[in-house]
């Protein structure tokens, strides 16, 4: 394959009397230079998205303050709408939130190229269903000192997409109130904090000195075998001992074993 690639390259670029150095493979220097324009630190950011599927229609928007405070919002639509009208509904919901929070500078971002271009005034709005939406967005824009619209790829709009999809998938029977979702950060397995110490029985958890002694005995003495770290941890667990970092300690212990 390497020889064929070289042959193809020579065939495409024969050397003759009129030979000139190759320059078509490289872009101009002006194209490679990128000017980075810093954004105003006082501007808020808003992400929006709409979801229309067989189970329902939902919209999602999230406001992010200059201090990186997140204000999410989502709603389920109970009237007929298209993908474009859902995107406009999400935009209007987010802009109303920004007005209520007294936001002065706002950067609105979405993955719908049509909506963003129409809001920027670059594309003409011909669909009669979208004309009142476009006019209302223009009216809301007057409440801000500065409003900018920017198109972003879908993979940069994951949070707003998740909010819109959540509203579209959930069905609300009647006037049911659902508390705001709180996302917790878990850094340990759920079973780690479920070990209860019985008053008259020796607990599972051991200190570092006893853990070293247990690993030494199970690995190379009475149980023998010089097994790997994974098997060592399982044998210690079956023997009735446990501590939080047992598996990592077993792997480290095996790596220190000269015989292994």
């Amino acid at each position: 394959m390497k020889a064929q690639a070289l042959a193809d390259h020579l065939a495409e670029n024969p050397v003759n009397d009129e030979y000139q150095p190759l320059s078509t493979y490289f872009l101009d220097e002006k194209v490679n230079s990128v000017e980075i324009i810093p954004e105003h630190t006082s501007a808020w950011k808003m992400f929006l998205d709409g979801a229309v599927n067989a189970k329902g229609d939902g919209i999602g928007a999230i406001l992010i303050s200059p201090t990186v405070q997140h204000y999410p919002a989502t709603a389920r639509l109970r009237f007929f709408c298209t993908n474009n009208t859902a995107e406009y509904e999400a935009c209007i919901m987010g802009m109303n939130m920004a007005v209520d929070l007294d936001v002065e500078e706002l950067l609105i971002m979405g993955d719908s190229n049509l909506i963003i271009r129409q809001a920027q005034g670059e594309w003409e709005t011909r669909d009669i269903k979208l004309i009142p939406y476009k006019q209302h967005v223009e009216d809301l824009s007057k409440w801000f000192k500065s409003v900018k619209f920017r198109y972003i790829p879908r993979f940069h709009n994951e949070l707003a997409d998740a909010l819109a999809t959540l509203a579209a998938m959930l069905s609300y029977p009647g006037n049911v109130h659902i508390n705001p979702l709180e996302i917790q950060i878990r850094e340990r397995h759920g079973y780690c904090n479920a070990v209860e110490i019985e008053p008259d029985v020796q607990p599972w958890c051991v200190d570092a000195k006893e853990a070293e002694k247990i690993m030494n005995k199970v690995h190379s003495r009475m149980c023998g075998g010089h097994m790997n770290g994974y098997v060592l941890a399982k044998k210690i667990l079956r023997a009735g001992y446990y501590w939080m970092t047992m598996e990592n300690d077993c792997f480290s212990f095996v790596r220190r074993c000269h015989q292994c």
Side-chain angles (χ1 to χ4, degrees):
M1 293 178 65
K2 293 180 180 178
Q4 185 62 43
L6 180 60
D8 293 341
H9 176 76
L10 294 176
E12 293 176 1
N13 304 280
V15 178
N16 50 38
D17 296 337
E18 300 178 356
Y19 172 76
Q20 296 181 357
L22 295 176
S23 60
T24 56
Y25 288 0
F26 303 96
L27 299 174
D28 296 334
E29 293 182 357
K30 294 182 180 179
V31 179
N32 287 331
S33 60
V34 179
E35 181 182 0
I36 300 177
I37 302 177
E39 298 178 359
H40 298 291
T41 56
S42 60
W44 286 57
K45 296 179 180 179
M46 188 187 89
F47 295 86
L48 65 97
D49 199 12
V52 177
N53 53 49
K55 290 193 173 183
D57 307 329
I59 57 175
I62 180 168
L63 285 172
I64 303 178
S65 70
T67 58
V68 200
Q69 295 290 329
H70 290 59
Y71 300 89
T74 182
R76 184 178 178 90
L77 306 180
R78 289 186 172 177
F79 52 85
F80 174 78
C81 65
T82 62
N83 290 323
N84 293 330
T85 55
E87 296 282 346
Y88 264 118
E89 288 285 347
C91 182
I92 292 173
M93 180 179 65
M95 294 182 73
N96 284 327
M97 289 173 55
V99 172
D100 295 337
L101 292 173
D102 296 326
V103 175
E104 296 183 350
E105 299 180 8
L106 184 62
L107 173 61
I108 301 176
M109 291 173 283
D111 55 30
S112 173
N113 196 32
L114 175 67
I115 304 305
I116 297 300
R117 299 300 182 187
Q118 289 181 353
Q120 289 175 333
E122 298 179 0
W123 291 1
E124 183 181 356
T125 306
R126 297 181 178 179
D127 190 344
I128 58 175
K129 297 188 297 295
L130 302 182
I131 293 177
Y133 282 108
K134 172 65 166 50
Q135 183 61 46
H136 191 56
V137 169
E138 291 180 354
D139 295 338
L140 288 174
S141 299
K142 299 176 183 178
W143 288 85
F144 306 94
K145 290 184 178 180
S146 173
V147 177
K148 296 181 179 179
F149 296 86
R150 179 184 300 174
Y151 169 78
I152 58 174
R154 189 173 185 84
F155 60 85
H156 286 163
N157 200 30
E158 293 179 344
L159 185 53
D161 178 66
L163 292 173
T165 304
L166 179 64
M169 299 296 291
L170 291 178
S171 58
Y172 303 96
N175 296 322
V176 176
H177 175 73
I178 300 178
N179 289 327
L181 296 175
E182 179 182 356
I183 301 176
Q184 302 178 357
I185 304 298
R186 297 292 180 90
E187 297 180 353
R188 294 181 178 179
H189 301 287
Y191 57 78
C192 291
N193 298 324
V195 179
E196 298 181 359
I197 300 178
E198 299 180 6
D200 300 330
V201 181
Q202 181 71 18
W204 276 20
C205 299
V206 298
D207 55 20
K209 185 177 180 180
E210 188 176 0
E212 186 75 17
K213 183 178 179 181
I214 293 172
M215 288 187 294
N216 187 30
K217 287 185 177 182
V218 176
H219 181 65
S220 58
R221 291 188 181 180
M222 60 180 64
C223 296
H226 289 274
M227 69 288 295
N228 59 36
Y230 179 78
V231 178
L232 177 59
K234 294 299 182 182
K235 279 201 170 187
I236 293 175
L237 188 63
R238 286 198 298 267
Y241 297 98
Y242 176 78
W243 60 94
M244 296 294 184
T245 59
M246 182 176 66
E247 191 168 285
N248 290 333
D249 293 345
C250 288
F251 280 99
S252 300
F253 181 85
V254 172
R255 283 194 292 264
R256 297 196 309 268
C257 181
H258 296 288
Q259 296 183 16
C260 290

mmCIF file of all heavy atoms in Angstrom, residues 76-109:
data_model
loop_
_atom_site.group_PDB
_atom_site.id
_atom_site.type_symbol
_atom_site.label_atom_id
_atom_site.label_comp_id
_atom_site.label_asym_id
_atom_site.label_seq_id
_atom_site.Cartn_x
_atom_site.Cartn_y
_atom_site.Cartn_z
ATOM 1 N N ARG A 76 -43.754 21.748 27.562
ATOM 2 C CA ARG A 76 -44.395 20.827 26.612
ATOM 3 C C ARG A 76 -45.458 21.599 25.837
ATOM 4 O O ARG A 76 -46.275 22.317 26.431
ATOM 5 C CB ARG A 76 -45.015 19.641 27.354
ATOM 6 C CG ARG A 76 -45.631 18.587 26.431
ATOM 7 C CD ARG A 76 -46.183 17.439 27.240
ATOM 8 N NE ARG A 76 -46.827 16.428 26.411
ATOM 9 C CZ ARG A 76 -46.208 15.385 25.892
ATOM 10 N NH1 ARG A 76 -44.915 15.217 26.134
ATOM 11 N NH2 ARG A 76 -46.844 14.494 25.147
ATOM 12 N N LEU A 77 -45.470 21.449 24.529
ATOM 13 C CA LEU A 77 -46.402 22.161 23.668
ATOM 14 C C LEU A 77 -47.603 21.278 23.379
ATOM 15 O O LEU A 77 -47.447 20.147 22.904
ATOM 16 C CB LEU A 77 -45.711 22.561 22.365
ATOM 17 C CG LEU A 77 -44.413 23.364 22.514
ATOM 18 C CD1 LEU A 77 -43.841 23.694 21.138
ATOM 19 C CD2 LEU A 77 -44.638 24.631 23.320
ATOM 20 N N ARG A 78 -48.809 21.794 23.650
ATOM 21 C CA ARG A 78 -50.036 21.037 23.421
ATOM 22 C C ARG A 78 -50.826 21.599 22.252
ATOM 23 O O ARG A 78 -52.048 21.602 22.245
ATOM 24 C CB ARG A 78 -50.886 21.027 24.692
ATOM 25 C CG ARG A 78 -50.293 20.175 25.802
ATOM 26 C CD ARG A 78 -51.223 20.072 26.983
ATOM 27 N NE ARG A 78 -50.741 19.105 27.968
ATOM 28 C CZ ARG A 78 -51.337 18.849 29.127
ATOM 29 N NH1 ARG A 78 -52.447 19.507 29.444
ATOM 30 N NH2 ARG A 78 -50.845 17.964 29.952
ATOM 31 N N PHE A 79 -50.126 22.102 21.264
ATOM 32 C CA PHE A 79 -50.766 22.547 20.036
ATOM 33 C C PHE A 79 -49.884 22.104 18.876
ATOM 34 O O PHE A 79 -48.712 21.752 19.057
ATOM 35 C CB PHE A 79 -50.944 24.075 20.020
ATOM 36 C CG PHE A 79 -49.683 24.837 20.317
ATOM 37 C CD1 PHE A 79 -48.764 25.140 19.317
ATOM 38 C CD2 PHE A 79 -49.400 25.252 21.619
ATOM 39 C CE1 PHE A 79 -47.614 25.835 19.590
ATOM 40 C CE2 PHE A 79 -48.244 25.948 21.894
ATOM 41 C CZ PHE A 79 -47.348 26.246 20.886
ATOM 42 N N PHE A 80 -50.464 22.079 17.695
ATOM 43 C CA PHE A 80 -49.726 21.597 16.535
ATOM 44 C C PHE A 80 -48.581 22.550 16.215
ATOM 45 O O PHE A 80 -48.740 23.774 16.182
ATOM 46 C CB PHE A 80 -50.652 21.483 15.315
ATOM 47 C CG PHE A 80 -49.912 21.139 14.052
ATOM 48 C CD1 PHE A 80 -49.498 19.832 13.810
ATOM 49 C CD2 PHE A 80 -49.624 22.131 13.120
ATOM 50 C CE1 PHE A 80 -48.808 19.514 12.645
ATOM 51 C CE2 PHE A 80 -48.944 21.815 11.960
ATOM 52 C CZ PHE A 80 -48.536 20.510 11.720
ATOM 53 N N CYS A 81 -47.438 21.969 15.985
ATOM 54 C CA CYS A 81 -46.285 22.788 15.622
ATOM 55 C C CYS A 81 -45.341 21.958 14.763
ATOM 56 O O CYS A 81 -45.384 20.730 14.756
ATOM 57 C CB CYS A 81 -45.560 23.320 16.859
ATOM 58 S SG CYS A 81 -44.791 22.055 17.875
ATOM 59 N N THR A 82 -44.486 22.642 14.053
ATOM 60 C CA THR A 82 -43.452 22.011 13.238
ATOM 61 C C THR A 82 -42.109 22.189 13.941
ATOM 62 O O THR A 82 -42.013 22.812 15.006
ATOM 63 C CB THR A 82 -43.413 22.642 11.844
ATOM 64 O OG1 THR A 82 -43.068 24.030 11.979
ATOM 65 C CG2 THR A 82 -44.767 22.525 11.166
ATOM 66 N N ASN A 83 -41.071 21.667 13.344
ATOM 67 C CA ASN A 83 -39.744 21.830 13.917
ATOM 68 C C ASN A 83 -39.355 23.305 14.008
ATOM 69 O O ASN A 83 -38.770 23.748 15.003
ATOM 70 C CB ASN A 83 -38.706 21.068 13.080
ATOM 71 C CG ASN A 83 -38.845 19.560 13.219
ATOM 72 O OD1 ASN A 83 -39.149 19.056 14.292
ATOM 73 N ND2 ASN A 83 -38.641 18.847 12.126
ATOM 74 N N ASN A 84 -39.703 24.064 12.982
ATOM 75 C CA ASN A 84 -39.328 25.477 12.966
ATOM 76 C C ASN A 84 -40.112 26.283 14.000
ATOM 77 O O ASN A 84 -39.550 27.139 14.683
ATOM 78 C CB ASN A 84 -39.551 26.062 11.569
ATOM 79 C CG ASN A 84 -38.602 25.465 10.548
ATOM 80 O OD1 ASN A 84 -37.481 25.081 10.876
ATOM 81 N ND2 ASN A 84 -39.044 25.372 9.297
ATOM 82 N N THR A 85 -41.428 26.019 14.114
ATOM 83 C CA THR A 85 -42.208 26.758 15.107
ATOM 84 C C THR A 85 -41.784 26.376 16.520
ATOM 85 O O THR A 85 -41.799 27.216 17.427
ATOM 86 C CB THR A 85 -43.705 26.488 14.919
ATOM 87 O OG1 THR A 85 -43.945 25.072 14.970
ATOM 88 C CG2 THR A 85 -44.189 27.035 13.588
ATOM 89 N N ALA A 86 -41.373 25.124 16.732
ATOM 90 C CA ALA A 86 -40.880 24.712 18.051
ATOM 91 C C ALA A 86 -39.589 25.451 18.394
ATOM 92 O O ALA A 86 -39.377 25.863 19.543
ATOM 93 C CB ALA A 86 -40.662 23.205 18.095
ATOM 94 N N GLU A 87 -38.728 25.630 17.402
ATOM 95 C CA GLU A 87 -37.494 26.379 17.643
ATOM 96 C C GLU A 87 -37.801 27.834 18.012
ATOM 97 O O GLU A 87 -37.180 28.407 18.920
ATOM 98 C CB GLU A 87 -36.606 26.322 16.400
ATOM 99 C CG GLU A 87 -36.106 24.944 16.024
ATOM 100 C CD GLU A 87 -34.942 24.488 16.886
ATOM 101 O OE1 GLU A 87 -34.355 25.325 17.583
ATOM 102 O OE2 GLU A 87 -34.617 23.283 16.849
ATOM 103 N N TYR A 88 -38.754 28.431 17.324
ATOM 104 C CA TYR A 88 -39.141 29.808 17.648
ATOM 105 C C TYR A 88 -39.761 29.885 19.040
ATOM 106 O O TYR A 88 -39.525 30.849 19.784
ATOM 107 C CB TYR A 88 -40.121 30.338 16.600
ATOM 108 C CG TYR A 88 -39.478 31.145 15.503
ATOM 109 C CD1 TYR A 88 -39.540 30.724 14.174
ATOM 110 C CD2 TYR A 88 -38.813 32.331 15.790
ATOM 111 C CE1 TYR A 88 -38.958 31.459 13.156
ATOM 112 C CE2 TYR A 88 -38.229 33.077 14.777
ATOM 113 C CZ TYR A 88 -38.294 32.635 13.463
ATOM 114 O OH TYR A 88 -37.698 33.378 12.466
ATOM 115 N N GLU A 89 -40.580 28.886 19.405
ATOM 116 C CA GLU A 89 -41.172 28.879 20.742
ATOM 117 C C GLU A 89 -40.083 28.815 21.824
ATOM 118 O O GLU A 89 -40.175 29.495 22.844
ATOM 119 C CB GLU A 89 -42.116 27.678 20.880
ATOM 120 C CG GLU A 89 -43.409 27.784 20.098
ATOM 121 C CD GLU A 89 -44.402 28.741 20.743
ATOM 122 O OE1 GLU A 89 -44.195 29.127 21.917
ATOM 123 O OE2 GLU A 89 -45.395 29.095 20.074
ATOM 124 N N ALA A 90 -39.054 28.010 21.584
ATOM 125 C CA ALA A 90 -37.949 27.922 22.542
ATOM 126 C C ALA A 90 -37.209 29.240 22.633
ATOM 127 O O ALA A 90 -36.810 29.682 23.730
ATOM 128 C CB ALA A 90 -36.994 26.800 22.132
ATOM 129 N N CYS A 91 -37.028 29.896 21.502
ATOM 130 C CA CYS A 91 -36.338 31.191 21.494
ATOM 131 C C CYS A 91 -37.131 32.237 22.271
ATOM 132 O O CYS A 91 -36.566 32.997 23.068
ATOM 133 C CB CYS A 91 -36.112 31.638 20.052
ATOM 134 S SG CYS A 91 -35.228 33.202 19.883
ATOM 135 N N ILE A 92 -38.438 32.269 22.060
ATOM 136 C CA ILE A 92 -39.280 33.251 22.752
ATOM 137 C C ILE A 92 -39.303 32.971 24.251
ATOM 138 O O ILE A 92 -39.246 33.899 25.074
ATOM 139 C CB ILE A 92 -40.699 33.229 22.156
ATOM 140 C CG1 ILE A 92 -40.665 33.771 20.722
ATOM 141 C CG2 ILE A 92 -41.675 34.023 23.011
ATOM 142 C CD1 ILE A 92 -41.981 33.633 19.981
ATOM 143 N N MET A 93 -39.376 31.696 24.642
ATOM 144 C CA MET A 93 -39.364 31.360 26.060
ATOM 145 C C MET A 93 -38.075 31.817 26.725
ATOM 146 O O MET A 93 -38.079 32.416 27.807
ATOM 147 C CB MET A 93 -39.537 29.854 26.252
ATOM 148 C CG MET A 93 -39.529 29.400 27.706
ATOM 149 S SD MET A 93 -39.769 27.612 27.919
ATOM 150 C CE MET A 93 -38.275 26.987 27.137
ATOM 151 N N GLY A 94 -36.935 31.575 26.064
ATOM 152 C CA GLY A 94 -35.663 31.995 26.629
ATOM 153 C C GLY A 94 -35.511 33.500 26.687
ATOM 154 O O GLY A 94 -34.975 34.044 27.664
ATOM 155 N N MET A 95 -35.985 34.199 25.676
ATOM 156 C CA MET A 95 -35.890 35.663 25.670
ATOM 157 C C MET A 95 -36.774 36.276 26.747
ATOM 158 O O MET A 95 -36.399 37.279 27.378
ATOM 159 C CB MET A 95 -36.263 36.207 24.290
ATOM 160 C CG MET A 95 -35.286 35.815 23.187
ATOM 161 S SD MET A 95 -35.701 36.498 21.567
ATOM 162 C CE MET A 95 -35.266 38.234 21.814
ATOM 163 N N ASN A 96 -37.955 35.698 26.988
ATOM 164 C CA ASN A 96 -38.802 36.183 28.072
ATOM 165 C C ASN A 96 -38.129 35.983 29.435
ATOM 166 O O ASN A 96 -38.236 36.834 30.323
ATOM 167 C CB ASN A 96 -40.146 35.460 28.043
ATOM 168 C CG ASN A 96 -41.058 35.974 26.941
ATOM 169 O OD1 ASN A 96 -41.031 37.147 26.605
ATOM 170 N ND2 ASN A 96 -41.854 35.090 26.377
ATOM 171 N N MET A 97 -37.439 34.867 29.609
ATOM 172 C CA MET A 97 -36.680 34.649 30.837
ATOM 173 C C MET A 97 -35.606 35.714 31.009
ATOM 174 O O MET A 97 -35.399 36.242 32.102
ATOM 175 C CB MET A 97 -36.026 33.262 30.823
ATOM 176 C CG MET A 97 -36.978 32.102 30.970
ATOM 177 S SD MET A 97 -36.107 30.534 30.742
ATOM 178 C CE MET A 97 -34.801 30.696 31.969
ATOM 179 N N ALA A 98 -34.909 36.029 29.917
ATOM 180 C CA ALA A 98 -33.858 37.038 29.983
ATOM 181 C C ALA A 98 -34.421 38.413 30.326
ATOM 182 O O ALA A 98 -33.804 39.185 31.071
ATOM 183 C CB ALA A 98 -33.102 37.080 28.659
ATOM 184 N N VAL A 99 -35.596 38.728 29.807
ATOM 185 C CA VAL A 99 -36.233 40.009 30.140
ATOM 186 C C VAL A 99 -36.581 40.063 31.623
ATOM 187 O O VAL A 99 -36.372 41.078 32.299
ATOM 188 C CB VAL A 99 -37.486 40.220 29.268
ATOM 189 C CG1 VAL A 99 -38.274 41.441 29.741
ATOM 190 C CG2 VAL A 99 -37.092 40.388 27.801
ATOM 191 N N ASP A 100 -37.114 38.971 32.160
ATOM 192 C CA ASP A 100 -37.461 38.920 33.581
ATOM 193 C C ASP A 100 -36.234 39.038 34.478
ATOM 194 O O ASP A 100 -36.327 39.539 35.605
ATOM 195 C CB ASP A 100 -38.200 37.615 33.902
ATOM 196 C CG ASP A 100 -39.545 37.533 33.205
ATOM 197 O OD1 ASP A 100 -40.094 38.601 32.846
ATOM 198 O OD2 ASP A 100 -40.045 36.406 33.000
ATOM 199 N N LEU A 101 -35.081 38.604 33.994
ATOM 200 C CA LEU A 101 -33.850 38.687 34.777
ATOM 201 C C LEU A 101 -33.081 39.974 34.532
ATOM 202 O O LEU A 101 -31.949 40.121 34.996
ATOM 203 C CB LEU A 101 -32.944 37.486 34.451
ATOM 204 C CG LEU A 101 -33.450 36.112 34.898
ATOM 205 C CD1 LEU A 101 -32.560 35.006 34.362
ATOM 206 C CD2 LEU A 101 -33.528 36.038 36.423
ATOM 207 N N ASP A 102 -33.688 40.898 33.779
ATOM 208 C CA ASP A 102 -33.078 42.199 33.483
ATOM 209 C C ASP A 102 -31.734 42.056 32.766
ATOM 210 O O ASP A 102 -30.764 42.774 33.040
ATOM 211 C CB ASP A 102 -32.892 43.017 34.770
ATOM 212 C CG ASP A 102 -34.222 43.370 35.418
ATOM 213 O OD1 ASP A 102 -35.198 43.578 34.676
ATOM 214 O OD2 ASP A 102 -34.284 43.425 36.659
ATOM 215 N N VAL A 103 -31.671 41.123 31.835
ATOM 216 C CA VAL A 103 -30.455 40.949 31.043
ATOM 217 C C VAL A 103 -30.374 42.075 30.012
ATOM 218 O O VAL A 103 -31.364 42.406 29.356
ATOM 219 C CB VAL A 103 -30.464 39.572 30.353
ATOM 220 C CG1 VAL A 103 -29.264 39.426 29.425
ATOM 221 C CG2 VAL A 103 -30.473 38.468 31.398
ATOM 222 N N GLU A 104 -29.193 42.648 29.860
ATOM 223 C CA GLU A 104 -29.002 43.743 28.918
ATOM 224 C C GLU A 104 -28.341 43.287 27.620
ATOM 225 O O GLU A 104 -28.724 43.739 26.546
ATOM 226 C CB GLU A 104 -28.164 44.855 29.559
ATOM 227 C CG GLU A 104 -28.854 45.516 30.745
ATOM 228 C CD GLU A 104 -28.027 46.658 31.312
ATOM 229 O OE1 GLU A 104 -26.846 46.798 30.890
ATOM 230 O OE2 GLU A 104 -28.551 47.402 32.163
ATOM 231 N N GLU A 105 -27.347 42.405 27.715
ATOM 232 C CA GLU A 105 -26.649 41.902 26.534
ATOM 233 C C GLU A 105 -26.845 40.395 26.451
ATOM 234 O O GLU A 105 -26.587 39.679 27.421
ATOM 235 C CB GLU A 105 -25.165 42.243 26.584
ATOM 236 C CG GLU A 105 -24.892 43.741 26.630
ATOM 237 C CD GLU A 105 -23.409 44.043 26.669
ATOM 238 O OE1 GLU A 105 -22.606 43.100 26.510
ATOM 239 O OE2 GLU A 105 -23.039 45.213 26.868
ATOM 240 N N LEU A 106 -27.292 39.921 25.290
ATOM 241 C CA LEU A 106 -27.665 38.514 25.161
ATOM 242 C C LEU A 106 -27.124 37.954 23.855
ATOM 243 O O LEU A 106 -27.278 38.566 22.793
ATOM 244 C CB LEU A 106 -29.183 38.360 25.207
ATOM 245 C CG LEU A 106 -29.745 36.931 25.169
ATOM 246 C CD1 LEU A 106 -29.279 36.143 26.381
ATOM 247 C CD2 LEU A 106 -31.262 36.965 25.100
ATOM 248 N N LEU A 107 -26.504 36.765 23.956
ATOM 249 C CA LEU A 107 -26.057 36.019 22.782
ATOM 250 C C LEU A 107 -26.900 34.758 22.685
ATOM 251 O O LEU A 107 -26.844 33.889 23.558
ATOM 252 C CB LEU A 107 -24.564 35.657 22.910
ATOM 253 C CG LEU A 107 -23.996 34.736 21.826
ATOM 254 C CD1 LEU A 107 -24.110 35.378 20.447
ATOM 255 C CD2 LEU A 107 -22.557 34.365 22.130
ATOM 256 N N ILE A 108 -27.713 34.663 21.632
ATOM 257 C CA ILE A 108 -28.646 33.552 21.452
ATOM 258 C C ILE A 108 -28.043 32.566 20.473
ATOM 259 O O ILE A 108 -27.645 32.941 19.360
ATOM 260 C CB ILE A 108 -30.006 34.066 20.943
ATOM 261 C CG1 ILE A 108 -30.592 35.074 21.942
ATOM 262 C CG2 ILE A 108 -30.963 32.912 20.714
ATOM 263 C CD1 ILE A 108 -31.882 35.710 21.465
ATOM 264 N N MET A 109 -27.987 31.296 20.877
ATOM 265 C CA MET A 109 -27.370 30.258 20.055
ATOM 266 C C MET A 109 -28.325 29.087 19.887
ATOM 267 O O MET A 109 -28.975 28.662 20.847
ATOM 268 C CB MET A 109 -26.061 29.783 20.694
ATOM 269 C CG MET A 109 -24.955 30.832 20.668
ATOM 270 S SD MET A 109 -23.478 30.345 21.582
ATOM 271 C CE MET A 109 -24.053 30.632 23.256
#
